[in-house]
Amino acid sequence: RVRPPEGSASPLAALTRRELEVLQLLTRGADTREIAGALFISRLTARNHVQHILRKLGAASRAEAVAIALRGAAPGS
């Protein structure tokens, strides 16, 4: 699961609950269409969530956002 560590300055802490759900789907390799279907939202809304995630995490790509998420969710990171 992707979630911000308790009481940390993790970049994941800046994400909304919905953005964390989208990020979790990204870590599973979901594309925009799959995210939209899984969360019952439009593709445009899914794309916007991904863009917000990238901006908040300072990531240049979905892959980089996933790497940040995995580092942030790992124990002791």
Side-chain angles (χ1 to χ4, degrees):
R1 262 193 122 180
V2 176
R3 62 186 145 163
E6 293 297 321
S8 77
S10 166
L12 297 180
L15 300 181
T16 65
R17 189 173 120 216
R18 184 58 125 189
E19 289 166 347
L20 288 169
E21 291 172 334
V22 170
L23 185 56
Q24 185 173 22
L25 291 166
L26 287 175
T27 65
R28 296 179 186 166
D31 62 17
T32 302
R33 180 186 53 79
E34 293 165 330
I35 292 167
L39 299 178
F40 304 103
I41 58 177
S42 74
R43 289 183 188 179
L44 179 59
T45 300
R47 184 184 63 87
N48 286 338
H49 283 311
V50 171
Q51 291 304 312
H52 293 158
I53 291 166
L54 295 179
R55 186 174 57 246
K56 287 180 179 182
L57 295 182
S61 67
R62 290 171 179 236
E64 186 177 359
V66 167
I68 292 167
L70 295 176
R71 278 196 310 265
S77 58

